[in-house]
Structures are given as structure tokens and as C-alpha cells.
Amino acid sequence: MSELVLAITGASGSLCGRRLLAELCRHPDVTRVNVVASLGARKVAREELGLKGESVEEFRRAFAPEESARLRWFDEGDLAAPIASGSYPCRAMAVVPCSTGTLASIALGASRNLIHRAAEVTLKERRRLVLGVRESPYTLIHLENMRAATLAGAVIAPITPMFYNRPVHLEEIVEQYTARVMDLLDLPHSIGKRWKADR
């Protein structure tokens, strides 16, 4: 049983962040999910999820319609939050979706908000950090930042569709991506489809 951190930033991919949060909140091995969402995440969610506004309350209702005792929300400016300290025991962290600005801050160790600091803590404590980077095309700066983050111990898991499961609906693409992130967080699950090569 363990705690995890989920950060949601202003990159495209709100559906992936929402689905991952739902899976983490109901997973039997997760005791608590500490969530930090940026202002950019609220702006993007308004467009992608059809929200009426960008308030914290509306965002939280959209991402967790059924409030869970396992769920704890933090403001991105709260650098005194427990997840900002390496002494606080969180097993892993995922940033889904992860903007390239957030990627840059993590790669450079420039902790300007709680998302950056929690990621820095995750890396320095040698815990698993999964970055669901969402951007296309990549510049050399993006690639160099991914390289730096990878060398520091992060796992870059871009939000890209997989096709071997022959998705028909958007939700199938989101589910398959979520399944891969759950794998990377070492959380057993039964969602998505595994590759089965013909023998």
C-alpha cells in the first residue's frame, strides 16, 4: 500500500490525466493520490472537456466527480505541502499530461511551483517519475530536456496512440495509454490490451 503524486499540467491530454486519476483512486495498492493541477491544466481542460469555466472547484468535479477519501488536492503554489519534502513517503509520481515547460523545469531542476518541486523530490529520492510529455513536433530543446530528465531517472512516456489494439473510439486510446502508465508505476491492472504476437 502506498501514496503517489499525480500532476496535471497545461499540455493537451486532459482525458489521459482524468482517466489515470480514476484508475489510481480505485487501485487496491494505492492508499492516497496527491494531486496538483496547474492553472494551465484548468485552461486546457475547459477546452478539451467542455467545462464552463476555469475554477478549481469545476476542475476538481470534472476530474473526480465522486470525491474519494484517497484523494488529496494541492495548489501548485503550495511549496509547504508534504509532497515537497523527500521525507514524505510517496512511492512514485506521474505528470500526465506534461507540458514541455514543465519538462524543462524538471530537467533543469528549476522548482518554481509544487509540481516542479515534487518531481525534483521524486528524482532525488530515486523514486519512479513518469512524464507524459505531449507536444509535436519536438524541437532539439525538447529532446535535450527529455535526455536530461531521463539521465536524472525519469521515464519519458509521450502521450501517443497505440494501434495494435485497433482502437475505434478515443476512450480506447486513452485507456491503452493509461494502462502503459500503470505498468510504469508498477501497479497491476486489467485495463487495455497486451500485445499478443501470432506464433
Side-chain angles (χ1 to χ4, degrees):
M1 304 294 274
S2 57
E3 292 194 30
L4 292 96
V5 178
L6 172 61
I8 304 164
T9 74
S12 181
S14 301
L15 286 170
C16 293
R18 184 170 68 177
R19 178 61 187 272
L20 180 58
L21 178 58
E23 294 298 332
L24 292 177
C25 279
R26 60 175 160 251
H27 198 281
D29 294 341
V30 178
T31 55
R32 176 172 283 165
V33 185
N34 300 284
V35 186
V36 191
S38 69
L39 173 60
R42 301 203 306 270
K43 290 179 179 294
V44 172
R46 177 182 180 180
E47 297 300 321
E48 294 187 345
L49 304 179
L51 307 186
K52 295 180 179 178
E54 298 169 8
S55 71
V56 172
E57 293 74 20
E58 186 175 8
F59 180 89
R60 291 180 181 180
R61 283 196 303 271
F63 273 72
E66 296 181 9
E67 195 64 31
S68 168
R70 298 182 184 186
L71 188 55
R72 182 166 60 173
W73 295 89
F74 291 101
D75 183 88
E76 67 177 320
D78 186 4
L79 289 173
I83 59 173
S85 173
S87 66
Y88 191 77
C90 281
R91 190 177 81 176
M93 177 177 177
V95 185
V96 177
C98 180
S99 67
T100 52
T102 298
L103 167 66
S105 292
I106 293 170
L108 296 173
S111 298
R112 295 176 298 172
N113 62 33
L114 183 57
I115 294 173
H116 308 153
R117 175 57 186 167
E120 181 180 13
V121 164
T122 302
L123 290 175
K124 80 182 184 69
E125 298 297 325
R126 306 296 191 265
R127 300 168 184 161
R128 177 57 59 92
L129 174 63
V130 178
L131 303 179
V133 178
R134 175 64 184 91
E135 187 60 88
S136 181
Y138 295 132
T139 68
L140 180 58
I141 294 170
H142 299 147
L143 295 171
E144 290 290 354
N145 286 336
M146 287 187 221
R147 179 179 184 275
T150 300
L151 289 173
V155 176
I156 308 298
I159 298 180
T160 54
M162 293 158 228
F163 297 104
Y164 60 79
N165 59 324
R166 299 182 182 180
V168 176
H169 303 290
L170 179 60
E171 183 53 39
E172 293 174 272
I173 295 173
V174 172
E175 180 179 89
Q176 194 69 16
Y177 178 77
T178 303
R180 290 297 295 125
V181 175
M182 296 288 282
D183 287 342
L184 293 170
L185 293 173
D186 294 323
L187 293 171
H189 62 86
S190 58
I191 64 172
K193 295 181 180 179
R194 302 280 183 192
W195 169 254
K196 294 180 180 178
D198 294 332
R199 297 293 181 187

